[in-house]
Amino acid sequence: MSDYEYKSPLIGYENAEPLPTTLNADGKSFYNPPGPRSAAYDDFPAPIESSNNGFDFHIYYKPNSPEEAKYAAELHERIRREFPEFRIYKLWDKAIGPHPVPMFEVNVFTPHQTGTFFSWLVVNRGPLSVLIHPNTNDSFRDHTELATWMGPPYPLNVSMLKRASRRA
């Protein structure tokens, strides 16, 4: 059960023409008639607040694994070299904030950067887990309901986020 109300994803399409039931030649996928390009290609949808950055990627490694620590340091350097336009924080060697293990954070600023970095990390994250969350001015929800993971998830210390969200 969620503490948040989810509005219908069809708001704004109430009077739209019915979609065709025609299948494409593959016999599995639907034919979709051409339509206007989604604004989400260029701007983050509400409630994502992009004035600072749209998404955070927290890249975790196990503190008791020298192999993971080495891989994390190498990945950190690679990201700094390949994506200098991103905001890339230092490599933490201990748990910090709600994050239960060492990690580093990467911030992206546009939907295009988000998709690019997401797909790049899918093939380059190696043994590391990645928490990906939007920034909506609700830290608790950002790190829980709106978050997604690459690799095994870690339990976050969200109690501090609950306190921060109540103050906001």
Side-chain angles (χ1 to χ4, degrees), residues 75-113:
L75 184 64
H76 184 264
E77 179 177 338
R78 171 75 184 272
I79 293 167
R80 288 187 64 202
R81 291 181 184 282
E82 190 153 340
F83 300 103
E85 67 278 14
F86 296 170
R87 183 185 305 133
I88 303 159
Y89 290 86
K90 67 184 264 181
L91 191 65
W92 294 97
D93 61 358
K94 62 182 180 187
I96 183 166
H99 310 286
V101 295
M103 61 99 194
F104 66 95
E105 178 179 345
V106 177
N107 299 160
V108 295
F109 304 95
T110 68
H112 186 74
Q113 289 177 341

Side-chain angles (χ1 to χ4, degrees), residues 56-71:
D56 295 349
F57 290 75
H58 298 276
I59 301 165
Y60 293 160
Y61 66 95
K62 295 182 188 95
N64 59 348
S65 171
E67 297 83 14
E68 281 197 20
K70 180 179 186 294
Y71 193 88

Side-chain angles (χ1 to χ4, degrees), residues 17-35:
E17 297 273 332
L19 289 169
T21 57
T22 309
L23 294 177
N24 288 317
D26 64 12
K28 300 180 280 187
S29 64
F30 284 107
Y31 164 75
N32 285 319

